[in-house]
């Protein structure tokens, strides 16, 4: 073909109209950056994502979720107009009407029942600017104390533990780049290979450099393949392992006495407890052998450097806070923190799981990790917000406790932004019933999620490709995500929605921002002097590169490693914690003879609203699968690849069996990315940790039954729903 013809043909096909959008994945805490290429072929658009080789965190990698993230952006089910439920049907309405209606409803209900009867429920996908603004919106525009967010189910145990032990909560004490030089790495309840896959190479490199890797998980996973030692713990029993290890570390002389003396408090107080630990008991209760506990302790104890990383496997328990403290005891006893290639990390989950927990979405928190119950903090923020300290509400309650208050009629209306609580809360049958009691429910989302479906009004919000803002990744590195696409139709950004609603509620000042950067500049002031100090970070600096907080001055380079000289408590010391024996909230019985644990698979993200709308991800994994050991399955007459009913004290759900000899025989595992009858949270236990209010997501007692006959009930989003027949 001649050049002329080629040119003519490609013009005819619309080729050559390629657009490159520099963006970053909306899903997990790595926040991999990428180029999204848009090609136009005749009238069709084709997209291809290419990872950014210069990304300092992902180092040029991206997983299948990132590669397909754009599919939900262009999905036909995107909400593009405000929707009001009239006679049970959603009807498009203009924004003016939506805002007026919401303001009227909230005000009327507040007048009738009290100011604090409105609740606000946020999420860790919101940008820093929006997390900050949501906190301000609740306290200033709605004047309510009831605000909390989905991070309560995610990072709360680790956050509370890090604050108590170190005086500050930043997911990782060191940057990922130090991992390859570490000599012993312990991964407790973290499945990095499926949940933050692009950081796996840091661990592979460490192994290549001679590191000894220990994984503690009831299942063999893609992550445990990397392990030199895999401790297949009984769900919920991790603290027995850490305590057994501490005993061996002390008895065999691996304590770092100088570090303990100079940099910690309360070791003397727990010494007797350590002495009295019975290794046989720790082995029996945790389900691993004494030899394995001793080996783990020796490897970590003698290593010149080491990391302990925890994640939801050990944190999402009704004793999650204490679990984390026990592992931090090990870090402190061996002095493996505050130096190169040694530290502690709680692997953050959501895209902005880190920043989202710093700037005021939490019930007891003000921006910059300030406390809503501390008088100095209150006065500082009241000044930034132009109000009297006495006008600022006090602390509210945690996410699940808000559901209980809704059930009890103490909260009568709710505003949900960036969460799908009906799928992600424990004991979700109760939660759904509670939400039905609300007099007014507003949900801001991109789709009609299982929660949005219950709303009186849904507000359409923009996606990661359309919305500018900063996100703070799992390392504590603040990064700027620029907008690359105009939101479709009448879609607005979350921050715009909050500003317009605040105006409709009568706030003339305080919500007049013209851009995300405007909000960021106020956040900088609000966080100044707080533990998460962003005051030295500017959009201009972020356009060059990401910056680790704390960053107190524009001339400050940011802080990639914490605790080199001091911890964040007033006396500069870190704290040991008394040894605890974990207790299970539910013990197996004849009626409920198996332990259920829940978590994630590579292909889907959280409540699945976005990834179930990605055809390529659905092709790979379309429905929830229950991992069950073939011997266990045989006992209950469950064949491979068949539907079964899973029951607990709270309810039941339907799931397909998947034989796996990689899981303990007393335990089964299910992912939580599906809704309705396929939602595992219909059965999970809502017992809350008294310290951080994390629910017991990771252990409950269940029964399984084969579905003798199955009947198709309805065709729900992303899969079938079946009903058990007697
Ligand atoms: N593909 C994918 N990636 C994600 C997400 C997603 O939904 N999908 N979500 C993101 C978010 S928000 C989060 S919080 C993170 C979560 O990341 P992770 O915490 O790594 O994920 P989980 O699968 O919940 O749990 C990790 C492991 O804990 C194990 N486990 C279960 N019970 C116990 C126990 O009692 N003790 C121990 N030691 N281990 C146990 C499970 O077998 C599982 O392998 O992932 C983030 N990345
Ligand atoms: N059984 C069990 N349950 C669990 C867990 C578990 O391990 N086991 N893990 C828990 C954890 S760690 C987490 S983090 C929670 C998460 O649980 P959810 O909060 O329910 O998580 P998402 O699915 O991210 O919900 C986000 C909703 O907001 C929408 N959305 C996404 N981005 C935006 C945005 O920028 N703006 C707006 N307005 N909407 C947006 C999505 O479409 C989706 O409907 O689940 C918890 N639940
Ligand atoms: S899901 Fe996480 S690891 Fe995968 S591309 Fe997105 S940010 Fe990266
Ligand atoms: Mo999470």
């Amino acid at each position: 073909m001649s050049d002329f013809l080629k040119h003519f043909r490609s013009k005819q096909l619309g080729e050559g109209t390629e657009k490159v959008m520099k963006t970053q994945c909306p899903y997990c805490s790595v926040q991999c950056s990428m180029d999204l290429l848009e090609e136009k072929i005749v009238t069709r658009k084709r997209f291809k994502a290419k990872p950014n080789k210069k990304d300092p965190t992902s180092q040029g990698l991206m997983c299948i979720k990132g590669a397909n993230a754009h599919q939900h952006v262009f999905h036909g089910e995107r909400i593009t107009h405000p929707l009001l439920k009239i006679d049970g049907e959603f009807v498009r309405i203009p924004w003016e009407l939506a805002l007026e209606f919401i303001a009227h409803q909230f005000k009327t209900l507040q007048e009738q029942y009290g100011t604090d009867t409105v609740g606000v429920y946020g999420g860790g996908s919101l940008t820093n600017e929006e997390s900050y603004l949501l906190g301000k919106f609740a306290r200033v525009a709605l004047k309510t104390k009831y605000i909390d967010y989905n991070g309560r189910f995610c990072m709360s145990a680790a956050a509370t533990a890090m604050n108590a032990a170190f005086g500050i909560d930043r997911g990782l004490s060191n940057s990922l780049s130090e991992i390859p030089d570490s000599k012993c790495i312990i991964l407790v309840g973290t499945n990095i290979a499926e949940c933050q896959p692009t950081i796996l190479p840091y661990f592979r490199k460490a192994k290549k450099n001679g590191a000894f890797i220990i994984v503690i998980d009831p299942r063999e996973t893609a992550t445990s393949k990397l392990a030199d030692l895999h401790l297949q713990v009984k769900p919920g029993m991790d603290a027995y392992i850490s305590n057994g290890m501490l005993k061996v570390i002390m008895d065999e002389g691996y304590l770092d006495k100088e570090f303990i003396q100079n940099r910690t408090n309360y070791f003397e107080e727990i010494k007797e407890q350590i002495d009295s630990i019975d290794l046989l008991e720790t082995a029996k209760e945790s389900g691993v052998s004494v030899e394995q506990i001793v080996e783990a302790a020796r490897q970590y104890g003698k290593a010149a450097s080491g990391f302990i990383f925890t994640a939801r496997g050990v944190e999402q328990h009704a004793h999650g806070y204490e679990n984390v403290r026990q592992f931090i005891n090990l870090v402190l006893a061996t002095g493996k923190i505050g130096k190169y290639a040694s530290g502690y990390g709680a692997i953050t989950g959501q895209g902005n799981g880190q920043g989202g927990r710093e700037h005021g979405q939490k019930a007891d928190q003000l921006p910059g990790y300030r406390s809503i119950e501390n008088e100095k903090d209150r006065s500082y923020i009241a000044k930034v917000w132009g109000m009297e300290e006495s006008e600022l509400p006090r602390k509210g309650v945690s996410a699940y406790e808000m559901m209980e208050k809704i059930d009890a009629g103490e909260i009568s209306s709710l505003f949900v932004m960036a969460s799908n609580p009906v799928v992600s809360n424990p004991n979700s049958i109760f939660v759904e019933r509670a939400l039905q009691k609300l007099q007014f429910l507003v949900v801001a989302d991109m789709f009609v999620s299982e929660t949005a479906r219950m709303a009186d009004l849904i507000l359409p919000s923009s996606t990661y490709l359309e919305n500018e803002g900063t996100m703070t990744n799992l390392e504590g590195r603040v990064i700027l995500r620029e907008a690359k696409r105009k939101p479709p139709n009448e879609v607005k950004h979350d921050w715009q929605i909050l500003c317009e609603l605040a105006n409709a509620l009568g706030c003339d000042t305080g919500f007049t921002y013209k851009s995300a950067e405007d909000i960021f500049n106020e956040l900088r002031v609000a966080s100044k002097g707080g533990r998460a100090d962003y005051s030295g970070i500017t959009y201009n600096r972020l356009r060059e590169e990401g910056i680790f907080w704390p960053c107190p001055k524009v001339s400050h380079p940011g802080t990639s490693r914490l605790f080199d000289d001091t911890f964040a408590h007033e006396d500069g010391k870190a704290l040991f914690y008394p040894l605890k024996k974990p207790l299970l909230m539910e013990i197996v019985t004849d009626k409920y003879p198996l332990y259920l644990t829940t978590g994630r698979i590579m292909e889907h993200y959280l409540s699945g609203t976005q990834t179930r709308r990605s055809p390529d991800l659905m092709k790979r994994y379309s429905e929830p699968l229950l991992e069950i050991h073939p011997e266990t399955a045989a006992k209950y007459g469950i064949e491979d690849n068949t539907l079964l009913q899973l029951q607990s004290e709270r309810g039941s759900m339907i799931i397909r069996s998947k034989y796996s000899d990689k899981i303990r025989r007393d335990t089964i595992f299910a992912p939580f990315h599906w809704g309705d009858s396929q939602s595992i949270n219909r059965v999970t236990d809502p017992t809350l940790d008294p310290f951080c209010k994390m629910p017991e997501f990771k252990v409950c007692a269940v029964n399984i039954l084969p579905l003798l006959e199955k009947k198709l009930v309805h065709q729900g989003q992303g899969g079938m729903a079946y009903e058990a027949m007697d």
Side-chain angles (χ1 to χ4, degrees):
M1 207 189 294
S2 72
D3 279 348
F4 169 74
L5 275 181
K6 261 193 210 155
H7 173 73
F8 178 72
R9 184 118 200 273
S10 79
K11 251 196 135 174
Q12 218 183 11
L13 291 175
E15 282 169 3
T17 50
E18 203 172 78
K19 194 160 114 190
V20 182
M21 294 177 264
K22 281 195 176 311
T23 184
Q24 66 204 47
C25 174
Y27 299 130
C28 90
S29 55
V30 189
Q31 287 296 291
C32 305
S33 53
M34 62 183 76
D35 285 341
L36 184 64
L37 312 180
E38 181 183 316
E39 274 181 300
K40 212 168 166 196
I41 298 167
V42 195
T43 52
R44 272 189 54 230
K45 281 181 183 166
R46 197 165 66 183
F47 295 91
K48 198 166 175 222
K50 270 188 161 175
N52 169 15
K53 292 218 164 63
K54 291 191 185 136
D55 186 313
T57 307
S58 71
Q59 301 194 312
L61 295 178
M62 178 174 76
C63 80
I64 47 163
K65 286 187 300 307
N68 292 296
H70 56 275
Q71 292 186 345
H72 79 268
V73 175
F74 299 98
H75 196 283
E77 286 170 13
R78 277 277 306 267
I79 314 167
T80 52
H81 298 78
L83 298 173
L84 178 69
K85 197 181 269 162
I86 304 176
D87 298 330
E89 300 271 329
F90 283 114
V91 180
R92 278 183 185 188
I93 55 166
W95 271 103
E96 297 72 36
L97 186 59
L99 295 168
E100 198 185 319
F101 185 64
I102 297 171
H104 174 266
Q105 289 296 85
F106 281 152
K107 275 192 189 157
T108 312
L109 288 167
Q110 283 183 309
E111 270 160 29
Q112 201 172 343
Y113 300 108
T115 322
D116 281 327
T117 57
V118 177
V120 175
Y121 193 108
S125 316
L126 295 173
T127 61
N128 287 318
E129 292 77 357
E130 290 160 350
S131 308
Y132 168 80
L133 202 60
L134 192 68
K136 182 174 178 184
F137 173 77
R139 275 93 180 212
V140 177
L142 287 173
K143 303 181 175 65
T144 181
K145 67 175 175 185
Y146 288 127
I147 169 166
D148 209 54
Y149 80 123
N150 68 11
R152 184 66 67 173
F153 301 144
C154 184
M155 299 307 298
S156 65
T160 309
M162 285 189 275
N163 274 327
F166 307 135
I168 194 169
D169 151 39
R170 194 184 80 182
L172 306 187
S173 57
N174 308 46
S175 76
L176 291 167
S177 61
E178 297 182 19
I179 291 174
D181 289 329
S182 189
K183 292 304 166 207
C184 182
I185 297 170
I186 308 183
L187 301 168
V188 198
T190 163
N191 186 7
I192 288 166
E194 296 206 57
C195 296
Q196 296 83 11
T198 55
I199 66 166
L200 201 62
Y202 292 98
F203 297 89
R204 286 216 183 93
K205 276 184 208 149
K207 191 170 165 95
K208 224 169 135 199
N209 293 342
F212 190 87
I213 298 188
I214 301 164
V215 167
I216 308 180
D217 195 306
R219 303 183 299 143
E220 275 177 47
T221 61
T223 309
S224 72
K225 278 198 190 125
L226 207 67
D228 297 287
L229 180 63
H230 175 201
L231 308 182
Q232 213 161 349
V233 64
K234 263 190 209 162
M237 295 288 119
D238 297 79
Y240 278 108
I241 296 181
S242 58
N243 292 344
M245 287 174 68
L246 193 52
K247 162 96 174 153
V248 178
I249 282 170
M250 188 161 97
D251 288 354
E252 300 196 1
Y254 299 122
L255 290 181
D256 184 338
K257 292 190 177 140
E258 207 184 310
F259 184 91
I260 294 172
Q261 171 71 31
N262 297 334
R263 303 210 46 196
T264 69
N265 283 324
Y266 302 140
F267 183 72
E268 285 306 314
E269 281 80 347
I270 65 165
K271 221 168 150 186
E272 243 176 65
Q273 268 193 307
I274 307 176
D275 248 342
S276 65
I277 285 172
D278 172 3
L279 280 189
L280 282 174
E281 186 196 356
T282 61
K284 182 169 163 270
E285 297 293 341
S286 64
V288 306
S289 68
V290 172
E291 291 71 29
Q292 286 180 316
I293 294 177
V294 171
E295 170 74 350
R298 285 185 184 150
Q299 290 291 345
Y300 182 67
K302 73 173 189 213
S305 54
F307 277 113
I308 295 183
F309 293 105
T310 63
R312 307 311 83 75
V314 65
E315 297 164 11
Q316 286 174 326
H317 294 276
H319 45 263
Y321 163 77
E322 294 194 323
N323 281 351
V324 177
R325 293 296 303 262
Q326 312 295 303
F327 281 91
I328 293 177
N329 277 349
L330 287 176
V331 174
L332 299 177
T334 56
K336 285 190 172 54
I337 192 160
K339 55 189 181 196
Y340 182 74
S342 283
Y344 166 74
I347 310 276
T348 294
Q350 299 178 83
N352 197 27
Q354 178 67 56
R357 69 185 193 261
E358 298 163 1
H359 300 296
Q361 292 189 73
K362 241 176 156 171
D364 56 353
Q365 197 194 58
L366 291 172
Y369 274 146
R370 287 187 153 90
S371 160
I372 204 157
E373 292 298 330
N374 174 300
E375 300 312 306
K376 252 169 101 187
D377 288 350
R378 292 172 60 81
S379 303
Y380 182 84
I381 294 298
K383 212 166 140 207
V384 177
W385 289 349
M387 64 200 290
E388 292 296 320
E389 181 270 327
S390 57
E391 290 174 291
L392 203 55
R394 293 268 164 183
K395 78 171 176 192
V397 297
S398 73
Y400 186 78
E401 290 171 308
M402 270 174 49
M403 298 301 161
E404 291 175 327
K405 290 219 175 283
I406 292 169
D407 181 62
E410 288 174 52
I411 295 179
S412 57
S413 53
L414 186 70
F415 180 74
V416 178
M417 182 168 255
S419 182
N420 188 5
V422 170
V423 177
S424 52
N425 268 245
N427 195 17
S428 60
I429 299 174
F430 163 82
V431 169
E432 188 166 347
R433 280 193 198 133
L435 293 182
Q436 274 160 2
K437 294 187 184 173
L438 282 169
Q439 305 209 22
F440 189 53
L441 172 63
V442 183
V443 174
D445 203 304
M446 286 110 51
F447 296 101
V448 185
S449 68
E450 286 79 359
T451 308
R453 200 165 68 196
M454 299 178 69
D456 298 287
L457 220 158
I458 312 177
L459 300 176
S461 44
S462 57
T463 65
Y464 73 107
L465 277 183
E466 296 138 8
N467 190 12
E468 181 175 64
T470 60
M471 309 282 277
T472 305
N473 80 359
L474 79 170
E475 296 181 287
R477 194 195 297 262
V478 184
I479 39 193
L480 176 62
R481 183 186 71 200
E482 289 179 283
K484 292 296 161 191
R485 180 176 186 260
K486 256 184 66 173
N489 296 329
E490 293 187 26
V491 169
K492 287 186 194 279
H493 306 308
D494 291 313
W495 64 266
Q496 289 175 322
I497 295 175
L498 293 173
C499 288
E500 290 179 20
L501 255 180
N503 296 154
L505 283 159
C507 295
D508 315 325
T509 57
F511 293 89
T512 52
Y513 316 95
K514 293 279 172 288
S515 65
E517 187 172 1
D518 275 357
I519 305 167
F520 189 77
N521 284 334
E522 187 177 297
L523 182 162
R524 291 173 57 205
V525 178
S527 73
K528 192 176 173 62
R531 278 172 290 173
D533 192 330
Y534 279 45
S535 57
I537 305 175
T538 64
Y539 265 40
N540 268 345
R541 286 185 75 185
L542 293 178
R543 284 191 186 101
E544 301 291 315
E545 59 177 2
I547 298 170
F548 288 88
W549 69 261
C551 180
K553 277 199 186 105
V554 177
S555 56
H556 190 284
T559 315
S560 76
R561 189 169 60 244
L562 299 170
F563 315 136
D564 273 6
D565 308 312
T566 179
F567 291 97
H569 286 303
E570 238 160 61
D571 65 356
K573 295 194 176 176
L575 309 185
F576 279 95
Y577 191 76
L579 304 199
K580 296 285 171 183
K581 290 183 181 179
L583 276 180
L584 286 187
M585 293 302 118
E586 283 188 344
I587 305 285
V588 287
T589 57
D590 287 347
K591 194 169 173 203
Y592 299 114
L594 288 167
Y595 288 114
L596 166 76
T597 192
T598 63
R600 294 151 170 82
I601 49 159
M602 165 82 109
E603 291 79 0
H604 285 281
Y605 189 68
L606 300 181
S607 71
T609 316
Q610 290 152 288
T611 50
R612 279 186 273 131
R613 287 184 173 79
S614 178
D616 283 319
L617 296 174
M618 283 301 279
K619 247 186 256 160
R620 284 167 183 256
Y621 206 121
S622 61
E623 62 177 320
L625 299 177
L626 183 78
E627 282 178 31
I628 182 166
H629 197 285
E631 281 176 25
T632 314
K635 251 170 86 181
Y636 297 91
I638 305 281
E639 286 177 29
D640 193 12
N641 196 25
T642 54
L643 288 171
L644 57 95
Q645 183 167 4
L646 200 156
Q647 308 168 316
S648 77
E649 201 48 63
R650 290 152 293 277
S652 66
M653 55 87 67
I654 309 296
I655 191 165
R656 189 179 293 280
S657 62
K658 180 183 159 207
Y659 280 11
S660 163
D661 57 7
K662 296 182 164 62
I663 187 161
R664 293 177 58 92
R665 286 171 179 75
D666 57 5
T667 304
I668 52 180
F669 170 88
F672 77 104
H673 313 294
W674 281 265
D676 299 324
S677 63
Q678 295 174 310
S679 169
I680 197 67
N681 277 324
R682 293 169 64 86
V683 308
T684 52
D685 178 0
T687 307
L688 302 182
D689 182 310
F691 296 94
C692 60
K693 312 291 177 177
M694 171 71 86
E696 182 71 302
F697 279 127
K698 289 293 197 258
V699 209
C700 68
V702 295
N703 185 28
I704 46 175
L705 293 174
L707 270 190
L708 297 180
E709 257 184 85
K710 53 187 193 285
K711 181 179 86 171
L712 194 64
V713 181
H714 75 265
Q715 206 85 31
Q717 168 57 42
M720 287 84 65
Y722 297 92
E723 189 176 76
M725 307 268 290
D726 296 326

